[in-house]
Amino acid sequence: MAVMVSGLCLVHCVSTIAFVAILSSAGGMLLDPLIHEIGLGIAIALGLFTLGRGVMDHGYMMPVAIGSLGLGIMMGAITLGHDGGHGGQEIFYTMLGVGLLALAHDLNYRATH
């Protein structure tokens, strides 16, 4: 489930760019920082729960380390903001963080199965 949520986050990021390009009027709502802050909060909660539970089940710390790095990169990306003049850096770092988090969930899944 956590890998699916990570994938949905990536789809959200990419689709936001596409929607803004096609329907600029929808950009105000989709680019609202509150949506991203709530999504990041949910990602952190799910990541802590699922990766932490995996460590308890199998004792393998690598998924937690990679997942924490991914969540940290996502937290850093949210501080760049859409209008900060950083170009595509926020999008790049968000996608990098989501990818690392998805990798961590995959490693966690493989360690338990």
Side-chain angles (χ1 to χ4, degrees):
M1 180 174 170
V3 173
M4 183 180 73
V5 172
S6 296
L8 287 174
C9 179
L10 180 62
V11 168
H12 162 73
C13 293
V14 173
S15 66
T16 298
I17 300 302
F19 278 125
V20 170
I22 296 169
L23 303 169
S24 62
S25 63
M29 183 183 77
L30 294 173
L31 295 175
D32 185 2
L34 186 60
I35 291 174
H36 295 104
E37 292 165 5
I38 291 171
L40 181 60
I42 292 170
I44 290 170
L46 285 174
L48 289 174
F49 175 74
T50 57
L51 294 171
R53 193 175 111 218
V55 169
M56 297 300 220
D57 289 348
H58 54 68
Y60 185 49
M61 291 296 295
M62 185 61 71
V64 173
I66 292 174
S68 297
L69 176 62
L71 287 170
I73 291 172
M74 290 167 62
M75 284 187 271
I78 206 168
T79 65
L80 294 175
H82 295 298
D83 299 324
H86 299 288
Q89 288 181 357
E90 179 196 13
I91 297 165
F92 171 77
Y93 287 119
T94 300
M95 290 175 29
L96 177 65
V98 168
L100 286 172
L101 186 58
L103 172 64
H105 286 302
D106 183 58
L107 290 173
N108 199 32
Y109 176 80
R110 291 174 189 238
T112 57
H113 291 91

